[in-house]
Amino acid sequence: MKTDLIARTAEFVREKFLYEGSGHDWEHIRRVWQVARALAHDTPAADPSITELGALLHDVADWKFHGGDEEAGPRAARAWLVSQQAEESVIQAVETIIREVSFKGVGVATPMSTVEGQLVQDADRLDAIGAIGVARAFAYGGHKGRPLHDPTIAPVEHATFASYKQNVAPTINHFYEKLLHLRERLHTPAARRVAEQRHAFMETFLAQFLREWEGEDLLA
Ligand code: ADP
Ligand code: NI
């Protein structure tokens, strides 16, 4: 029924994000879409179309790139879906997913009010960890002009969204401030299973990075 709308939305998002350089590019969205679709397939309570549209549109206008405006994403998704004559109930479901999906700091609870949102959030978070997660973190840090690492700046486990939003710490800190916490914050058993090895890979990466930083591997 909504196959056409999903295909048109995929094309719209692909064109918009093809050459994005901060790690929020089309390939990120494509992976999140595919993983969310697979999770929906195994989750009878989830509406597959809402899940797919939510995944495709989840980063359409991320607050991180719109002056911190959290409503930019839901607004852009609504404008697109209205232009495609989508049903109001579908538009509202997608807006809710986008509003709730983002990580907002270790100390900030971000419950997902819908099962489709849980699947999109799991898929988005799986793409933020593991080897791809490492690559995306440094792509984002480079895009923002941040240093890789600075041992004099300790990571902070942000307790408010405002403080998380304003953070400009080196990229290594982001692992302690977000990425190493994602494994504990997944909803589906399938995503949790995948997260185990991706999490272990990040720990190996960090240990090796810090050894090289100190030149410890040269002395071994
Ligand atoms: P979320 O919706 O949870 O914010 P996104 O899908 O928008 O997640 O993607 C966030 C991506 O950007 C992740 O891969 C994450 O590592 C990267 N990122 C966000 N903030 C930072 C940061 N301060 N330093 C490094 N990478 C970051
Ligand atoms: Ni994303």
Side-chain angles (χ1 to χ4, degrees), residues 24 28 59 62 64 102-103 124 136-137 140 146 174 178:
H24 291 71
H28 160 63
D59 275 339
D62 195 305
K64 289 193 281 304
S102 251
F103 184 83
D124 194 27
R136 292 182 67 219
Y140 183 94
R146 309 235 174 106
H174 189 62
K178 172 181 176 184

Side-chain angles (χ1 to χ4, degrees), residues 56-218:
L56 282 166
L57 292 165
H58 84 276
D59 275 339
V60 73
D62 195 305
W63 55 263
K64 289 193 281 304
F65 306 101
H66 289 79
D69 179 1
E70 289 164 63
E71 277 304 302
R75 206 164 46 234
R78 168 172 289 276
W80 162 253
L81 292 170
V82 165
S83 80
Q84 301 302 305
Q85 285 93 40
E87 292 163 36
E88 178 59 24
S89 62
V90 170
I91 299 177
Q92 284 183 17
V94 171
E95 282 182 311
T96 299
I97 292 174
I98 299 171
R99 241 179 232 121
E100 296 177 346
V101 73
S102 251
F103 184 83
K104 297 189 169 75
V106 169
V108 188
T110 48
M112 299 304 281
S113 63
T114 66
V115 63
E116 294 83 5
Q118 293 182 350
L119 305 186
V120 174
Q121 190 176 61
D122 275 9
D124 194 27
R125 290 181 167 181
L126 283 179
D127 210 54
I129 62 176
I132 286 184
V134 170
R136 292 182 67 219
F138 288 101
Y140 183 94
H143 185 79
K144 294 277 187 182
R146 309 235 174 106
L148 304 181
H149 180 43
D150 181 344
T152 68
I153 303 177
V156 178
E157 298 203 338
H158 295 274
T160 69
F161 185 29
S163 132
Y164 179 73
K165 255 187 192 181
Q166 284 157 14
N167 186 30
V168 293
T171 301
I172 286 292
N173 292 25
H174 189 62
F175 288 83
Y176 301 96
E177 294 173 353
K178 172 181 176 184
L179 305 181
L180 292 170
H181 298 275
L182 295 181
R183 174 179 65 160
E184 305 297 329
R185 296 174 178 225
L186 297 168
H187 306 278
T188 60
R192 273 191 231 118
R193 272 195 303 277
V194 176
E196 282 309 315
Q197 44 159 319
R198 294 192 183 187
H199 184 93
F201 177 84
M202 284 195 299
E203 288 188 323
T204 304
F205 166 79
L206 286 168
Q208 176 73 10
F209 182 99
L210 296 172
R211 253 197 314 276
E212 291 180 20
W213 188 271
E214 298 298 341
E216 286 169 6
D217 61 325
L218 304 176

